Amino acid sequence: MTGLFLLFVMTIVLSSLVNDYVQSASDSDDSEPTPLIVFTPEDDNTDWKNDGE
């Protein structure tokens, strides 16, 4: 009976640790890094398509 109680307690502890890990991982995903290259509508040109023709 003691083993069953210890198994129950260890299950609660393990689920708490996994929950904290998942919450920490999701919090780090919320802060997206700023992009290194930002494209604007002025950057959209199709001159490269005519080079090969």
Side-chain angles (χ1 to χ4, degrees):
M1 194 66 165
T2 305
L4 188 60
F5 177 72
L6 288 176
L7 184 63
F8 175 71
V9 170
M10 291 303 291
T11 303
I12 292 174
V13 169
L14 182 62
S15 66
S16 174
L17 289 175
V18 169
N19 188 23
D20 289 344
Y21 174 75
V22 169
Q23 185 177 4
S24 173
S26 68
D27 288 346
S28 65
D29 290 342
D30 292 341
S31 59
E32 295 181 10
T34 56
L36 296 176
I37 300 173
V38 178
F39 292 101
T40 61
E42 291 82 25
D43 294 331
D44 187 22
N45 60 17
T46 55
D47 293 340
W48 60 272
K49 289 183 182 178
N50 298 328
D51 290 343
E53 295 178 358

